[in-house]
Amino acid sequence: MGAHTAHTAHTARSARTAQTETRDLRETAHAAQVRELAAAGVLDDPRWLAAFAAVPRHVFVPYFWTGRGAGHERLWAEDPDPEGRARWLRGVYVDTPLATRLRDGRLVSSSSQPSLMAKMLAALDVRDGDDVLEIGAGTGYNAALLCHRLGEEHVTTVDLDEEITESARAHLAQLGYHPAVVTGDGARGCPARSPFDRIMVTCTLPLIPHAWLGQCRPGARILAPLSTGLIALTVRDPDFAEGNFLHTSAYFVPLRGATAAPPPDPEGVAHGIPYELIENERFQFMLVLTAGVLHPREALDLWRREGRPARERFGVSVSAEGQWSWLDDPQGPYVWPLGEG
């Protein structure tokens, strides 16, 4: 064997060894995260445990942005610096949301915190054969988990941004999943693929788009971030849905589209409220939910009088006439309009 041939063979072996080591590191990190989520009690359903074990997050987050000083640093899978690649991989498998798309320094898309995703998927309460609409395609990771659980033919994911849907479609295809990935205004749903048994939303809403109700089968469930919580609505018919918030907090990128509006800033509406209460998650939730209806001092007085109520005591009703939030009872004394749907 000549020197050149020997060098080429050595280089090829070194490349294969590096690829094997990288694959092993990714598999190890993925398995460790699944164990962590299971230990935290968010993967009690063996079917969701199997989905998280089958769908590696790194495929959907080939790069992400992390804040550093006044700017952002991009960590990516193809970084020529081995330490840079290691930081990327470690970051991907931390249980935290990751900024995946910035525009003019503003976050427009992210990969959600895996433990919150697991909680939301469990709360979605899907059954075999259910048709699911996801609002906010993001990286495609959540759609892949749904595909594994239900089959790709039962999954539709929508996003307003064509760059996001193209990227999500490519990530999904890498693992052999081909659900319907639609570029469009999620606030309008996806009538061409309706009716749906479940609608799962991965962006914060100012109110529930009424169009969704008409695209649901009776008894369907809508799970959506609203205020700083997660509302779980049961759809009775095309004109009515109602339900309570879950106990967990939830912070997502705001919905962009026809009914989009930024959620109120609690610090901006809470003039005169003690800082320690602005930082209290339970009160912050109520403050945002009632912004523009109750003065912050009124909200504080009510919150204290009612025993500092947790999120699950609040609910939302959606009808053809409008939308309102309430405490304990939709027909009770504490009801606040959310706006026109």
Side-chain angles (χ1 to χ4, degrees):
M1 180 183 294
H4 176 72
T5 303
H7 175 74
T8 301
H10 174 74
T11 301
R13 284 195 300 271
S14 297
R16 286 195 298 271
T17 299
Q19 290 173 354
T20 300
E21 290 176 350
T22 298
R23 184 178 64 248
D24 290 347
L25 284 172
R26 292 176 179 179
E27 290 176 355
T28 299
H30 176 205
Q33 182 170 81
V34 174
R35 289 194 301 271
E36 177 186 341
L37 295 175
V42 296
L43 290 178
D44 291 338
D45 185 329
R47 291 164 297 189
W48 286 123
L49 176 62
F52 274 85
V55 180
R57 192 186 192 195
H58 68 261
V59 171
F60 297 89
V61 191
Y63 62 87
F64 64 91
W65 299 90
T66 181
R68 171 165 289 195
H72 295 87
E73 180 188 14
R74 183 175 183 257
L75 299 179
W76 58 305
E78 302 303 324
D79 193 324
D81 177 13
E83 177 53 31
R85 294 195 301 273
R87 289 181 58 212
W88 162 78
L89 185 61
R90 287 195 299 268
V92 164
Y93 284 108
V94 172
D95 184 30
T96 188
L98 299 173
T100 56
R101 198 170 293 271
L102 300 175
R103 190 164 294 150
D104 299 324
R106 183 173 60 91
L107 178 65
V108 296
S109 187
S110 64
S111 175
S112 302
Q113 182 179 14
S115 59
L116 178 57
M117 292 173 62
K119 291 176 185 177
M120 290 180 68
L121 288 166
L124 196 62
D125 192 29
V126 296
R127 312 295 169 86
D128 291 348
D130 277 353
D131 293 308
V132 177
L133 171 63
E134 180 191 27
I135 306 296
T139 66
Y141 182 31
N142 198 65
L145 294 165
L146 287 164
C147 286
H148 186 277
R149 170 67 180 84
L150 295 169
E152 61 185 34
E153 67 275 16
H154 294 292
V155 179
T156 303
T157 184
V158 177
D159 205 286
L160 186 65
D161 194 317
E162 188 172 2
E163 289 183 7
I164 291 175
T165 53
E166 286 182 358
S167 178
R169 192 179 291 114
H171 295 157
L172 286 155
Q174 284 186 56
L175 294 181
Y177 297 123
H178 299 91
V181 182
V182 179
T183 303
D185 185 352
R188 295 188 171 93
C190 187
R193 295 274 296 175
S194 65
F196 300 103
D197 301 286
R198 299 289 187 269
I199 296 180
M200 182 176 184
V201 187
T202 58
C203 44
T204 295
L205 305 174
L207 61 152
I208 304 298
H210 197 271
W212 294 352
L213 274 61
Q215 296 173 37
C216 285
R217 294 186 175 99
R221 188 174 180 85
I222 298 174
L223 184 67
L226 185 70
S227 180
T228 63
L230 289 168
I231 187 67
L233 299 170
T234 298
V235 178
R236 186 185 70 191
D237 56 46
D239 288 324
F240 189 81
E242 190 169 81
N244 285 81
F245 284 88
L246 307 184
H247 73 277
T248 187
S249 59
Y251 300 88
F252 285 86
V253 175
L255 173 74
R256 295 178 294 148
T259 64
D265 175 5
E267 294 190 23
V269 299
H271 180 70
I273 301 296
Y275 182 77
E276 62 271 17
L277 284 177
I278 300 301
E279 291 295 295
N280 182 293
E281 275 207 336
R282 286 188 178 186
F283 181 61
Q284 184 188 71
F285 167 76
M286 181 172 177
L287 198 60
V288 174
L289 191 64
T290 61
V293 182
L294 291 183
H295 186 279
R297 297 298 306 187
E298 291 181 288
L300 178 59
D301 290 343
L302 174 58
W303 187 70
R304 285 172 166 166
R305 188 166 63 247
E306 290 299 315
R308 300 175 179 242
R311 284 180 176 86
E312 54 265 40
R313 285 180 58 187
F314 293 86
V316 166
S317 301
V318 180
S319 77
E321 289 71 43
Q323 304 184 26
W324 57 96
S325 60
W326 37 266
L327 175 64
D328 292 331
D329 183 353
Q331 305 301 321
Y334 305 124
V335 179
W336 310 280
L338 283 179
E340 296 302 316

